[in-house]
Amino acid sequence: MVRDICRDETFLAQAAEAATPEDLPVARDLLDTLAAHREGCVGMAANMIGVNKCIIAFDNEGSYMVMFNPVITKKSGPYEAEEGCLSLAGTRKTKRFQTIKVQWQNEAFQTRYKTFTGWTAEIIQHEMDHCAGILI
């Protein structure tokens, strides 16, 4: 189900709670909402649709991917970026890393690890900031 985009900065500034298997429907709504905004959006976190859970969805080189409870375990290649967001007006400068290694759980709640680089790594970092309650 496509959900409304949350723009409440007080809600968005909260750290997300850990996702559980009961949150699988939230991931589906997140994917539906991301697809509905594909013209101007490449990633979303659950709090952007009003759910305070640690779930992100993003464009991973042409196909959507969902991560439950992602954690960056390694990062390298810092650089300055300027990013926009559906939930916040305007753009903001922030520090990102060119290469990140991420640990997360998939839809079966199996732990996975993968290294991401470039644009995909930047998207993941932006969405993980949402999960941490960081407004950028």
Side-chain angles (χ1 to χ4, degrees), residues 9-21:
E9 291 187 24
T10 301
F11 179 79
L12 293 169
Q14 297 176 58
E17 298 174 10
T20 67

Side-chain angles (χ1 to χ4, degrees), residues 2-136:
V2 176
R3 299 234 198 145
D4 291 337
I5 302 300
C6 177
R7 291 179 171 78
D8 179 346
E9 291 187 24
T10 301
F11 179 79
L12 293 169
Q14 297 176 58
E17 298 174 10
T20 67
E22 289 75 35
D23 297 313
L24 286 169
V26 174
R28 180 76 260 154
D29 290 351
L30 195 56
L31 286 168
D32 291 346
T33 306
L34 178 57
H37 291 275
R38 69 181 154 273
E39 295 301 318
C41 184
V42 292
M44 298 185 91
N47 66 353
M48 293 176 67
I49 60 169
V51 179
N52 193 27
K53 291 290 187 157
C54 192
I55 307 168
I56 67 172
F58 58 94
D59 181 339
N60 182 26
E61 300 179 358
S63 63
Y64 290 138
M65 182 171 183
V66 174
M67 291 180 171
F68 295 86
N69 306 312
V71 176
I72 294 174
T73 60
K74 188 175 181 182
K75 54 191 173 188
S76 64
Y79 66 95
E80 294 297 318
E82 187 168 340
E83 300 172 350
C85 181
L86 281 180
S87 290
L88 304 168
T91 61
R92 282 149 221 81
K93 293 183 187 264
T94 188
K95 180 181 177 181
R96 295 293 181 220
F97 293 88
Q98 181 65 30
T99 302
I100 59 172
K101 184 175 182 181
V102 182
Q103 172 189 317
W104 77 96
Q105 293 168 307
N106 64 14
E107 291 87 346
F109 278 78
Q110 300 163 320
T111 299
R112 296 290 184 245
Y113 298 88
K114 185 174 179 180
T115 298
F116 297 89
T117 60
W119 179 234
T120 304
E122 185 172 334
I123 298 166
I124 293 168
Q125 291 169 85
H126 179 101
E127 303 317 329
M128 288 181 67
D129 278 354
H130 273 290
C131 291
I134 299 170
L135 301 180
I136 52 108

